[in-house]
Coordinates of all heavy atoms in Angstrom, one line a residue:
M341 N 12.3 10.4 -5.2 CA 11.5 9.7 -6.1 C 10.6 10.6 -7.0 O 10.4 10.3 -8.2 CB 10.6 8.7 -5.3 CG 11.3 7.6 -4.6 SD 10.3 6.6 -3.6 CE 9.3 5.8 -4.8
V342 N 10.2 11.7 -6.4 CA 9.4 12.6 -7.1 C 10.2 13.3 -8.3 O 9.8 13.4 -9.4 CB 8.8 13.7 -6.3 CG1 8.0 14.8 -7.1 CG2 7.8 13.1 -5.2
A343 N 11.5 13.6 -7.9 CA 12.4 14.1 -8.9 C 12.6 13.1 -10.1 O 12.6 13.5 -11.3 CB 13.7 14.5 -8.3
A344 N 12.7 11.8 -9.8 CA 12.9 10.8 -10.8 C 11.6 10.7 -11.6 O 11.7 10.6 -12.9 CB 13.2 9.5 -10.2
L345 N 10.4 10.8 -11.1 CA 9.3 10.8 -11.8 C 9.2 12.0 -12.7 O 8.9 11.9 -13.9 CB 8.0 10.8 -10.9 CG 6.7 11.1 -11.5 CD1 6.3 9.9 -12.4 CD2 5.7 11.4 -10.4
R346 N 9.5 13.2 -12.3 CA 9.4 14.5 -13.0 C 10.4 14.4 -14.2 O 10.2 15.0 -15.2 CB 9.7 15.6 -12.1 CG 8.7 15.9 -11.0 CD 7.4 16.2 -11.6 NE 6.4 16.6 -10.5 CZ 5.2 16.1 -10.5 NH1 4.8 15.3 -11.3 NH2 4.4 16.5 -9.5
A347 N 11.5 13.6 -14.0 CA 12.5 13.6 -15.1 C 12.0 12.7 -16.3 O 12.6 12.8 -17.3 CB 13.8 13.1 -14.6
K348 N 11.0 11.9 -16.1 CA 10.5 11.0 -17.1 C 9.5 11.7 -18.1 O 8.8 12.6 -17.7 CB 9.8 9.8 -16.5 CG 10.8 8.9 -15.8 CD 10.2 7.7 -15.2 CE 11.2 6.8 -14.5 NZ 10.7 5.5 -14.1
P349 N 9.5 11.3 -19.3 CA 8.5 11.9 -20.3 C 7.1 11.8 -19.7 O 6.6 10.7 -19.3 CB 8.6 11.0 -21.5 CG 10.0 10.4 -21.4 CD 10.3 10.2 -20.0
G350 N 6.4 12.9 -19.6 CA 5.0 12.9 -19.1 C 5.0 13.0 -17.6 O 3.9 13.1 -17.0
G351 N 6.1 12.9 -16.9 CA 6.1 12.9 -15.5 C 5.6 14.2 -14.8 O 5.1 14.1 -13.7
E352 N 5.7 15.3 -15.6 CA 5.2 16.6 -15.0 C 3.6 16.6 -14.9 O 3.0 17.3 -14.3 CB 5.6 17.7 -15.9 CG 7.1 18.0 -15.8 CD 7.4 18.6 -14.4 OE1 6.6 19.2 -13.7 OE2 8.6 18.4 -14.0
D353 N 3.0 15.6 -15.7 CA 1.6 15.6 -15.7 C 0.9 14.7 -14.7 O -0.3 14.7 -14.6 CB 1.1 15.0 -17.1 CG 1.7 15.9 -18.3 OD1 1.8 17.1 -18.1 OD2 2.0 15.3 -19.4
I354 N 1.7 14.1 -13.9 CA 1.2 13.2 -12.9 C 1.2 13.9 -11.5 O 2.2 14.4 -11.1 CB 2.0 11.8 -12.8 CG1 1.9 11.1 -14.2 CG2 1.5 11.0 -11.6 CD1 2.8 9.9 -14.2
G355 N 0.0 14.0 -10.9 CA -0.2 14.6 -9.6 C 0.5 13.8 -8.5 O 0.5 12.6 -8.5
V356 N 1.2 14.5 -7.6 CA 1.8 13.9 -6.5 C 1.4 14.6 -5.2 O 1.3 15.8 -5.1 CB 3.4 14.1 -6.6 CG1 4.1 13.6 -5.4 CG2 3.9 13.3 -7.9
T357 N 1.0 13.7 -4.2 CA 0.8 14.3 -2.9 C 1.8 13.6 -1.9 O 1.9 12.4 -2.0 CB -0.7 13.9 -2.5 OG1 -1.5 14.4 -3.4 CG2 -0.9 14.4 -1.0
I358 N 2.5 14.3 -1.1 CA 3.4 13.8 -0.2 C 2.9 13.9 1.2 O 2.4 14.9 1.7 CB 4.8 14.6 -0.3 CG1 5.4 14.5 -1.7 CG2 5.8 14.2 0.7 CD1 6.6 15.4 -1.9
G359 N 3.0 12.7 1.9 CA 2.4 12.6 3.3 C 2.3 11.2 3.6 O 2.7 10.3 3.0
D360 N 1.8 11.0 4.9 CA 1.5 9.6 5.4 C 0.4 9.0 4.6 O -0.7 9.6 4.7 CB 1.2 9.7 6.9 CG 1.1 8.4 7.6 OD1 0.6 7.4 6.9 OD2 1.4 8.3 8.8
F361 N 0.6 7.9 4.0 CA -0.4 7.4 3.1 C -1.7 6.9 3.9 O -2.7 6.7 3.3 CB 0.1 6.3 2.1 CG 0.5 5.0 2.7 CD1 -0.3 4.0 3.1 CD2 1.9 4.9 2.9 CE1 0.1 2.9 3.6 CE2 2.4 3.6 3.4 CZ 1.5 2.6 3.8
A362 N -1.5 6.7 5.2 CA -2.6 6.3 6.0 C -3.6 7.4 6.3 O -4.8 7.2 6.5 CB -2.2 5.7 7.3
T363 N -3.1 8.7 6.3 CA -4.0 9.7 6.7 C -4.0 11.0 5.8 O -4.9 11.8 6.0 CB -3.4 10.2 8.1 OG1 -2.0 10.5 8.1 CG2 -3.7 9.1 9.2
T364 N -3.1 11.1 4.9 CA -3.0 12.3 4.0 C -4.2 12.3 3.1 O -4.5 11.2 2.5 CB -1.6 12.3 3.2 OG1 -0.6 12.4 4.2 CG2 -1.6 13.4 2.2
K365 N -4.8 13.4 2.9 CA -5.9 13.5 2.0 C -5.6 14.1 0.7 O -5.5 15.4 0.6 CB -7.0 14.4 2.7 CG -7.3 14.0 4.2 CD -8.0 12.7 4.3 CE -8.4 12.4 5.8 NZ -8.6 11.0 6.0
P366 N -5.4 13.3 -0.3 CA -5.2 13.9 -1.7 C -6.4 14.5 -2.2 O -7.5 14.2 -1.8 CB -4.8 12.7 -2.5 CG -5.4 11.5 -1.9 CD -5.5 11.8 -0.4
D367 N -6.2 15.5 -3.1 CA -7.4 16.1 -3.8 C -8.0 15.1 -4.8 O -7.2 14.5 -5.5 CB -7.0 17.4 -4.5 CG -6.7 18.5 -3.6 OD1 -7.2 18.5 -2.4 OD2 -5.8 19.4 -3.9
G368 N -9.3 15.0 -4.9 CA -10.0 14.3 -5.9 C -10.3 12.8 -5.4 O -10.1 12.4 -4.3
M369 N -10.9 12.2 -6.4 CA -11.3 10.8 -6.3 C -10.6 9.9 -7.4 O -10.3 10.5 -8.4 CB -12.9 10.6 -6.4 CG -13.6 11.5 -5.4 SD -13.4 10.9 -3.7 CE -14.5 9.4 -3.8
F370 N -10.5 8.6 -7.1 CA -9.6 7.9 -8.0 C -10.3 6.5 -8.2 O -11.1 6.0 -7.5 CB -8.3 7.6 -7.3 CG -7.5 8.9 -7.0 CD1 -7.8 9.5 -5.7 CD2 -6.7 9.5 -7.9 CE1 -7.1 10.7 -5.4 CE2 -6.1 10.7 -7.6 CZ -6.3 11.3 -6.4
S371 N -10.0 5.9 -9.4 CA -10.5 4.6 -9.8 C -9.7 3.5 -9.2 O -10.2 2.4 -9.0 CB -10.6 4.5 -11.3 OG -9.3 4.7 -11.9
V372 N -8.3 3.8 -8.9 CA -7.5 2.8 -8.3 C -6.6 3.4 -7.3 O -6.1 4.5 -7.5 CB -6.6 2.1 -9.4 CG1 -5.6 1.1 -8.8 CG2 -7.4 1.4 -10.4
A373 N -6.4 2.7 -6.2 CA -5.4 3.0 -5.2 C -4.5 1.7 -5.1 O -5.0 0.6 -4.9 CB -6.0 3.3 -3.8
Y374 N -3.2 1.9 -5.2 CA -2.3 0.8 -5.4 C -1.2 0.9 -4.3 O -0.4 1.9 -4.5 CB -1.8 0.7 -6.8 CG -0.9 -0.5 -7.2 CD1 -0.8 -1.6 -6.5 CD2 -0.1 -0.4 -8.4 CE1 0.0 -2.6 -6.8 CE2 0.7 -1.4 -8.7 CZ 0.8 -2.5 -7.9 OH 1.6 -3.6 -8.3
L375 N -1.1 0.0 -3.4 CA 0.1 -0.1 -2.5 C 1.0 -1.1 -3.1 O 0.7 -2.3 -3.0 CB -0.4 -0.5 -1.1 CG -1.1 0.6 -0.3 CD1 -1.4 0.1 1.1 CD2 -0.2 1.9 -0.2
V376 N 2.2 -0.7 -3.6 CA 3.1 -1.6 -4.2 C 4.0 -2.3 -3.2 O 4.2 -1.8 -2.1 CB 4.0 -0.9 -5.3 CG1 3.2 -0.3 -6.3 CG2 4.9 0.1 -4.6
F377 N 4.5 -3.5 -3.6 CA 5.6 -4.2 -3.0 C 5.7 -4.1 -1.5 O 6.6 -3.6 -0.9 CB 6.9 -3.6 -3.6 CG 8.1 -4.6 -3.4 CD1 8.1 -5.9 -3.9 CD2 9.1 -4.1 -2.6 CE1 9.2 -6.7 -3.7 CE2 10.3 -5.0 -2.5 CZ 10.2 -6.3 -3.0
N378 N 4.7 -4.7 -0.8 CA 4.7 -4.8 0.7 C 4.6 -3.5 1.4 O 4.9 -3.4 2.6 CB 5.9 -5.6 1.2 CG 5.9 -7.0 0.6 OD1 4.9 -7.6 0.5 ND2 7.1 -7.5 0.5
T379 N 4.2 -2.4 0.8 CA 4.2 -1.1 1.4 C 3.2 -1.1 2.6 O 3.4 -0.4 3.6 CB 3.8 0.0 0.4 OG1 4.8 0.1 -0.6 CG2 3.7 1.4 1.1
I380 N 2.1 -1.9 2.5 CA 1.2 -2.0 3.7 C 1.9 -2.4 4.9 O 1.5 -2.0 6.1 CB 0.0 -2.9 3.4 CG1 -1.1 -2.9 4.4 CG2 0.4 -4.4 3.2 CD1 -1.9 -1.6 4.4
M381 N 3.0 -3.1 4.8 CA 3.7 -3.7 6.0 C 4.4 -2.6 6.8 O 4.9 -2.7 7.8 CB 4.6 -4.8 5.6 CG 4.0 -6.0 5.2 SD 5.2 -7.3 4.8 CE 4.1 -8.6 4.3
N382 N 4.5 -1.3 6.1 CA 5.1 -0.3 6.9 C 4.2 0.3 7.9 O 4.6 1.1 8.7 CB 5.5 0.9 5.8 CG 6.7 0.5 5.0 OD1 7.8 0.6 5.5 ND2 6.5 0.2 3.8
L383 N 2.9 0.0 7.8 CA 1.9 0.3 8.8 C 1.9 -0.8 9.8 O 1.2 -1.9 9.5 CB 0.6 0.6 8.2 CG 0.5 1.7 7.2 CD1 -0.9 1.9 6.6 CD2 1.1 3.0 7.7
T384 N 2.5 -0.7 10.9 CA 2.7 -1.8 11.9 C 1.7 -2.0 13.0 O 1.9 -2.8 13.8 CB 4.1 -1.6 12.4 OG1 4.2 -0.4 13.1 CG2 5.2 -1.7 11.3
T385 N 0.6 -1.2 12.9 CA -0.4 -1.4 13.9 C -1.7 -1.6 13.2 O -2.0 -1.1 12.0 CB -0.6 -0.2 14.9 OG1 -1.0 0.9 14.1 CG2 0.7 0.1 15.6
Q386 N -2.7 -2.3 13.8 CA -4.0 -2.4 13.2 C -4.7 -1.1 13.0 O -5.3 -0.9 12.0 CB -4.9 -3.3 14.1 CG -6.2 -3.6 13.5 CD -7.1 -4.6 14.4 OE1 -6.7 -4.9 15.5 NE2 -8.2 -5.0 13.9
A387 N -4.5 -0.2 14.0 CA -5.1 1.1 13.9 C -4.7 1.9 12.7 O -5.4 2.5 11.9 CB -4.9 2.0 15.2
A388 N -3.4 1.8 12.4 CA -2.8 2.5 11.2 C -3.3 1.8 9.9 O -3.7 2.6 9.0 CB -1.3 2.5 11.3
Q389 N -3.4 0.5 9.9 CA -3.9 -0.1 8.7 C -5.4 0.2 8.5 O -5.8 0.4 7.3 CB -3.7 -1.6 8.7 CG -2.2 -2.0 8.6 CD -1.8 -3.4 8.5 OE1 -2.7 -4.3 8.4 NE2 -0.6 -3.7 8.5
V390 N -6.2 0.2 9.5 CA -7.6 0.6 9.4 C -7.7 2.0 8.9 O -8.6 2.3 8.0 CB -8.3 0.3 10.8 CG1 -9.7 1.0 10.7 CG2 -8.4 -1.1 11.1
A391 N -6.9 2.9 9.4 CA -6.9 4.3 9.0 C -6.6 4.4 7.5 O -7.2 5.1 6.8 CB -5.9 5.1 9.8
C392 N -5.7 3.5 7.1 CA -5.3 3.5 5.6 C -6.6 3.1 4.8 O -6.9 3.7 3.8 CB -4.1 2.6 5.4 SG -3.7 2.4 3.7
F393 N -7.2 2.0 5.2 CA -8.3 1.4 4.5 C -9.5 2.5 4.4 O -10.1 2.7 3.4 CB -8.8 0.2 5.1 CG -8.1 -1.1 4.5 CD1 -6.8 -1.4 4.9 CD2 -8.8 -1.9 3.6 CE1 -6.2 -2.5 4.4 CE2 -8.2 -3.0 3.2 CZ -6.9 -3.3 3.6
R394 N -9.6 3.2 5.5 CA -10.7 4.3 5.6 C -10.3 5.4 4.7 O -11.2 6.0 4.0 CB -10.9 4.8 7.0 CG -11.6 3.8 7.9 CD -12.0 4.4 9.2 NE -12.8 3.5 10.0 CZ -12.7 3.2 11.3 NH1 -11.7 3.8 12.0 NH2 -13.5 2.4 11.9
N395 N -9.0 5.7 4.7 CA -8.6 6.9 3.8 C -8.8 6.5 2.4 O -9.3 7.3 1.5 CB -7.1 7.2 4.2 CG -6.7 8.5 3.6 OD1 -7.5 9.4 3.4 ND2 -5.4 8.7 3.5
V396 N -8.4 5.3 2.0 CA -8.6 4.9 0.6 C -10.1 4.8 0.2 O -10.4 5.3 -0.8 CB -7.9 3.5 0.3 CG1 -8.3 2.9 -1.0 CG2 -6.4 3.6 0.5
A397 N -10.9 4.3 1.1 CA -12.3 4.2 0.8 C -12.9 5.6 0.6 O -13.8 5.8 -0.3 CB -13.0 3.5 1.9
A398 N -12.4 6.6 1.3 CA -12.9 8.0 1.1 C -12.5 8.6 -0.2 O -13.0 9.7 -0.5 CB -12.4 8.8 2.3
H399 N -11.5 8.0 -0.9 CA -11.0 8.6 -2.1 C -11.2 7.7 -3.3 O -10.7 8.0 -4.4 CB -9.5 8.9 -1.9 CG -9.2 10.0 -1.0 ND1 -9.1 9.8 0.4 CD2 -9.2 11.3 -1.2 CE1 -8.9 11.0 1.0 NE2 -9.0 11.9 0.1
L400 N -12.0 6.6 -3.2 CA -12.3 5.8 -4.4 C -13.6 6.1 -5.0 O -14.5 6.3 -4.3 CB -12.3 4.3 -4.0 CG -10.9 3.5 -3.8 CD1 -11.3 2.1 -3.5 CD2 -10.1 3.6 -5.1
E401 N -13.6 6.2 -6.3 CA -14.8 6.4 -7.0 C -15.7 5.2 -6.9 O -15.1 4.1 -6.6 CB -14.5 6.6 -8.5 CG -13.7 7.9 -8.8 CD -13.2 7.9 -10.2 OE1 -13.3 6.9 -10.9 OE2 -12.8 9.0 -10.7
P402 N -16.9 5.3 -7.1 CA -17.8 4.0 -7.1 C -17.3 3.0 -8.0 O -16.9 3.3 -9.2 CB -19.2 4.5 -7.6 CG -19.2 6.0 -7.2 CD -17.7 6.5 -7.4
G403 N -17.1 1.8 -7.6 CA -16.6 0.6 -8.3 C -15.0 0.7 -8.4 O -14.4 -0.2 -9.1
G404 N -14.4 1.6 -7.7 CA -12.9 1.6 -7.7 C -12.3 0.5 -7.0 O -13.0 -0.3 -6.3
C405 N -11.0 0.3 -7.2 CA -10.3 -0.9 -6.6 C -9.1 -0.4 -5.7 O -8.4 0.6 -6.0 CB -9.7 -1.7 -7.8 SG -10.9 -2.5 -8.8
F406 N -9.0 -1.1 -4.6 CA -7.8 -0.9 -3.7 C -7.0 -2.2 -3.9 O -7.4 -3.2 -3.5 CB -8.3 -0.8 -2.3 CG -7.2 -0.5 -1.3 CD1 -6.0 0.0 -1.7 CD2 -7.4 -0.7 0.1 CE1 -4.9 0.2 -0.7 CE2 -6.4 -0.4 1.0 CZ -5.2 0.0 0.6
L407 N -5.9 -2.0 -4.5 CA -5.0 -3.2 -4.9 C -3.8 -3.1 -3.9 O -3.1 -2.1 -3.8 CB -4.6 -3.0 -6.3 CG -3.6 -4.1 -6.8 CD1 -4.2 -5.4 -6.8 CD2 -3.2 -3.8 -8.2
I408 N -3.6 -4.2 -3.2 CA -2.4 -4.3 -2.2 C -1.5 -5.4 -2.7 O -2.0 -6.6 -2.7 CB -2.9 -4.6 -0.8 CG1 -3.8 -3.5 -0.3 CG2 -1.7 -4.8 0.2 CD1 -4.5 -3.7 1.0
E409 N -0.3 -5.1 -3.1 CA 0.7 -6.1 -3.4 C 1.5 -6.5 -2.2 O 2.1 -5.7 -1.5 CB 1.6 -5.6 -4.5 CG 2.7 -6.5 -4.9 CD 3.7 -5.8 -5.9 OE1 3.7 -4.6 -6.0 OE2 4.4 -6.6 -6.6
V410 N 1.4 -7.8 -1.8 CA 2.1 -8.2 -0.6 C 2.5 -9.7 -0.8 O 1.8 -10.5 -1.3 CB 1.2 -8.1 0.6 CG1 0.0 -8.9 0.5 CG2 1.9 -8.3 1.9
G411 N 3.8 -9.9 -0.3 CA 4.3 -11.3 -0.3 C 3.6 -12.2 0.7 O 3.2 -11.7 1.8
V412 N 3.5 -13.4 0.3 CA 3.0 -14.4 1.2 C 4.1 -15.4 1.6 O 4.7 -16.0 0.7 CB 1.8 -15.2 0.6 CG1 1.3 -16.3 1.6 CG2 0.6 -14.2 0.2
P413 N 4.4 -15.5 2.9 CA 5.5 -16.5 3.3 C 5.3 -17.9 2.8 O 4.1 -18.3 2.8 CB 5.6 -16.4 4.8 CG 4.8 -15.1 5.1 CD 3.8 -14.9 4.0
S414 N 6.3 -18.6 2.5 CA 6.2 -20.0 2.1 C 5.6 -20.8 3.2 O 6.0 -20.6 4.4 CB 7.6 -20.5 1.7 OG 7.5 -22.0 1.5
C415 N 4.8 -21.7 3.0 CA 4.3 -22.6 4.0 C 5.0 -24.0 4.0 O 4.6 -24.9 4.7 CB 2.8 -22.8 3.8 SG 1.8 -21.3 4.1
S416 N 6.0 -24.2 3.1 CA 6.6 -25.5 3.0 C 7.2 -25.8 4.4 O 7.8 -25.0 5.1 CB 7.8 -25.4 2.0 OG 8.8 -24.5 2.4
G417 N 7.0 -27.0 4.8 CA 7.5 -27.6 6.1 C 6.6 -27.2 7.3 O 6.9 -27.6 8.4
S418 N 5.5 -26.6 7.0 CA 4.6 -26.3 8.1 C 3.3 -27.0 7.9 O 3.0 -27.4 6.7 CB 4.3 -24.8 8.2 OG 3.6 -24.3 7.1
R419 N 2.5 -27.2 8.9 CA 1.1 -27.8 8.8 C 0.1 -26.7 9.3 O 0.5 -25.9 10.2 CB 1.1 -29.0 9.6 CG 1.9 -30.2 9.0 CD 1.9 -31.4 9.9 NE 2.7 -31.2 11.0 CZ 2.7 -32.0 12.1 NH1 1.9 -33.0 12.2 NH2 3.5 -31.7 13.1
P420 N -1.1 -26.8 8.9 CA -2.1 -25.9 9.3 C -2.1 -25.8 10.8 O -2.1 -26.8 11.5 CB -3.4 -26.5 8.8 CG -3.0 -27.3 7.6 CD -1.6 -27.8 7.9
G421 N -2.1 -24.6 11.4 CA -2.1 -24.4 12.8 C -0.8 -24.5 13.5 O -0.7 -24.3 14.7
R422 N 0.2 -24.9 12.8 CA 1.5 -25.1 13.4 C 2.5 -24.0 12.8 O 2.4 -23.7 11.6 CB 2.1 -26.5 13.1 CG 1.2 -27.6 13.6 CD 1.5 -27.9 15.1 NE 0.7 -28.9 15.7 CZ 1.3 -30.2 15.8 NH1 2.5 -30.5 15.4 NH2 0.4 -31.1 16.3
P423 N 3.4 -23.6 13.6 CA 4.5 -22.7 13.0 C 5.3 -23.4 11.9 O 5.4 -24.7 12.0 CB 5.3 -22.2 14.2 CG 5.0 -23.3 15.3 CD 3.7 -23.8 15.0
S424 N 6.0 -22.6 11.1 CA 6.9 -23.2 10.2 C 8.0 -24.1 10.9 O 8.4 -23.8 12.0 CB 7.6 -22.2 9.4 OG 6.7 -21.5 8.6
A425 N 8.4 -25.2 10.2 CA 9.5 -26.0 10.8 C 10.8 -25.3 10.9 O 11.1 -24.5 9.9 CB 9.6 -27.3 10.0
P426 N 11.6 -25.5 11.9 CA 12.9 -24.9 11.9 C 13.7 -25.3 10.7 O 13.6 -26.4 10.2 CB 13.6 -25.3 13.2 CG 12.5 -26.1 13.9 CD 11.4 -26.4 13.0
T427 N 14.6 -24.4 10.3 CA 15.4 -24.7 9.1 C 16.8 -25.4 9.5 O 17.5 -25.8 8.6 CB 15.7 -23.5 8.3 OG1 16.3 -22.5 9.1 CG2 14.4 -22.9 7.6
T428 N 17.1 -25.5 10.7 CA 18.4 -26.1 11.1 C 18.2 -27.4 11.7 O 17.2 -27.8 12.2 CB 19.1 -25.2 12.2 OG1 18.3 -25.0 13.3 CG2 19.5 -23.8 11.5
Ligands
SAM1057 C1 8.1 -0.7 -0.7 S1 8.6 1.0 -0.8 C2 7.7 1.5 -2.2 C3 8.5 1.1 -3.4 C4 8.7 2.3 -4.3 N1 7.6 3.2 -4.4 C5 9.2 1.9 -5.7 O1 8.5 2.1 -6.6 O2 10.2 1.2 -5.8 C6 7.7 1.7 0.6 C7 7.9 3.2 0.7 O3 6.9 3.7 1.5 C8 7.5 4.7 2.5 N2 6.6 4.7 3.6 C9 6.6 4.0 4.7 N3 5.6 4.3 5.5 C10 5.0 5.4 5.0 C11 3.9 6.1 5.3 N4 3.2 5.9 6.5 N5 3.5 7.1 4.5 C12 4.1 7.4 3.4 N6 5.2 6.6 2.9 C13 5.6 5.6 3.7 C14 8.9 4.1 2.7 O4 9.8 5.1 3.0 C15 9.2 3.5 1.3 O5 9.9 4.5 0.5

């Protein structure tokens, strides 16, 4: 992925830090932290997700945003407090 980024115009100008996004400490502070396309779901424990939020908070400038893109399962066929209806 980094090689694909570097191959694009201006790609050499974008800083990259490689590591576990829950715990890796990039240099600097940022106005936006963005977890694309359900990436938060790769952290499968509450402790790991809390570590991620703490890590992001430690690297956001004042007024910065933590944006998490995540799909929400359809609720069709279910009622509040009940699991989804079987599909068969
Ligand atoms: C949904 S993909 C991101 C989409 C991809 N960046 C794109 O633009 O198409 C999630 C990525 O996070 C990586 N990943 C999972 N857990 C990680 C972790 N703890 N730290 C860093 N990367 C992780 C996965 O290997 C996967 O490549």
Side-chain angles (χ1 to χ4, degrees):
M341 291 179 67
V342 174
L345 170 68
R346 295 294 183 230
K348 294 184 177 183
E352 289 293 333
D353 301 328
I354 297 174
V356 174
T357 301
I358 296 175
D360 184 330
F361 66 83
T363 55
T364 297
K365 311 291 184 201
D367 289 334
M369 300 293 283
F370 303 88
S371 58
V372 175
Y374 183 17
L375 286 182
V376 301
F377 197 63
N378 297 329
T379 297
I380 190 72
M381 293 181 178
N382 286 285
L383 302 178
T384 58
T385 66
Q386 182 177 10
Q389 292 188 2
V390 168
C392 176
F393 273 73
R394 286 190 172 134
N395 197 19
V396 169
H399 291 89
L400 278 182
E401 296 170 346
C405 293
F406 184 18
L407 179 62
I408 300 174
E409 179 185 18
V410 65
V412 177
S414 169
C415 291
S416 62
S418 68
R419 290 177 287 168
R422 300 277 181 100
S424 296
T427 55
T428 55

